[in-house]
Amino acid sequence: MISVRPLRQRRPVTGTVLLLLAGMGALLAGCQSPGRESPELARQRAEAAAEAPAVPDSQIDEQIHRLWKEKSPEMNSRLNVTVDRGEVLLTGNARDPDMRVDAVRLAWQADGVRKVLNEIKIADESSLSDSATDAWINTKLWAALLLDGQVKSSNYSIETVNQVVYIMGVARSGVELEAVLQHARELPRVRQVVNYVRR
């Protein structure tokens, strides 16, 4: 007697199998020949290189202390510097607003500085009304820079003393710098804008 085996039924392809096949296809499509780099990987590599500090933090610290000493030996005794991957934190008590402005301006002059965080206090505060006006100007200008998509606001420091706005930092282009200065000039109550920005 001849036995007849039933035909095997095909199973439907499940969603899991389809997902696995699609994933393998994406992996194979992403493979590059040796020596070739995908545009995305190249972009990530370039961004990582841009973030890496070109100048060691210890050298940045030394430069700032030297610049401060040349300006006024008192600055080094009253103020402190902390550097982390090119970002500079300034702390301490300045004698007056002018010393605070000079400290930030000189910090931006050091090679390799990517950002300056100013936490310097002023021992001899000016009148309450002047301080309130200066704080108002600072707040308005920061808001304008943050809302401007053409400006990288973290590249700048702003100090306002007696309604005079001091802008310090590093501009990516002349167009960006002009936009920053224009924002400052357009604010009410600003008597003068002083530009200490490097390009």
Side-chain angles (χ1 to χ4, degrees):
M1 185 173 171
I2 301 171
S3 65
V4 179
R5 293 169 59 188
L7 290 173
R8 184 180 292 173
Q9 290 183 344
R10 285 188 178 172
R11 291 182 182 169
V13 178
T14 64
T16 305
V17 173
L18 288 174
L19 282 174
L20 285 171
L21 290 173
M24 288 174 61
L27 282 173
L28 291 172
C31 290
Q32 300 282 329
S33 60
R36 299 231 21 205
E37 187 173 72
S38 72
E40 177 62 20
L41 185 56
R43 185 186 63 77
Q44 290 173 356
R45 224 181 265 280
E47 285 179 359
E51 289 296 314
V55 179
D57 290 345
S58 58
Q59 286 186 24
I60 294 173
D61 185 281
E62 289 170 11
Q63 285 182 70
I64 293 171
H65 282 292
R66 190 188 73 248
L67 290 164
W68 283 0
K69 185 177 180 181
E70 290 170 1
K71 178 68 180 176
S72 167
E74 187 184 5
M75 292 177 81
N76 280 318
S77 63
R78 299 184 71 111
L79 308 177
N80 307 302
V81 179
T82 305
V83 185
D84 180 25
R85 289 173 291 175
E87 294 192 4
V88 179
L89 172 64
L90 304 180
T91 56
N93 289 293
R95 182 187 61 248
D96 53 36
D98 290 335
M99 177 181 279
R100 178 169 145 144
V101 169
D102 283 335
V104 177
R105 175 178 61 83
L106 293 170
W108 273 110
Q109 289 181 11
D111 295 330
V113 172
R114 294 173 42 235
K115 187 175 185 178
V116 176
L117 304 168
N118 180 13
E119 294 296 330
I120 298 173
K121 307 293 184 228
I122 301 171
D124 180 24
E125 294 284 355
S126 55
S127 75
L128 193 59
S129 63
D130 286 343
S131 296
T133 301
D134 292 345
W136 181 87
I137 291 170
N138 262 18
T139 301
K140 288 291 185 182
L141 183 49
W142 273 120
L145 296 185
L146 287 168
L147 291 172
D148 189 332
Q150 304 303 311
V151 173
K152 187 176 180 183
S153 58
S154 61
N155 282 7
Y156 298 90
S157 293
I158 300 165
E159 287 295 320
T160 305
V161 180
N162 297 326
Q163 299 165 44
V164 176
V165 179
Y166 298 88
I167 301 177
M168 298 152 278
V170 181
R172 294 179 298 174
S173 68
V175 173
E176 181 186 72
L177 175 57
E178 187 52 42
V180 172
L181 296 175
Q182 192 59 36
H183 282 304
R185 293 181 189 122
E186 289 174 352
L187 285 175
R189 303 185 191 176
V190 170
R191 293 193 295 113
Q192 184 182 355
V193 177
V194 180
N195 173 19
Y196 286 125
V197 177
R198 290 189 295 132
R199 284 201 303 174

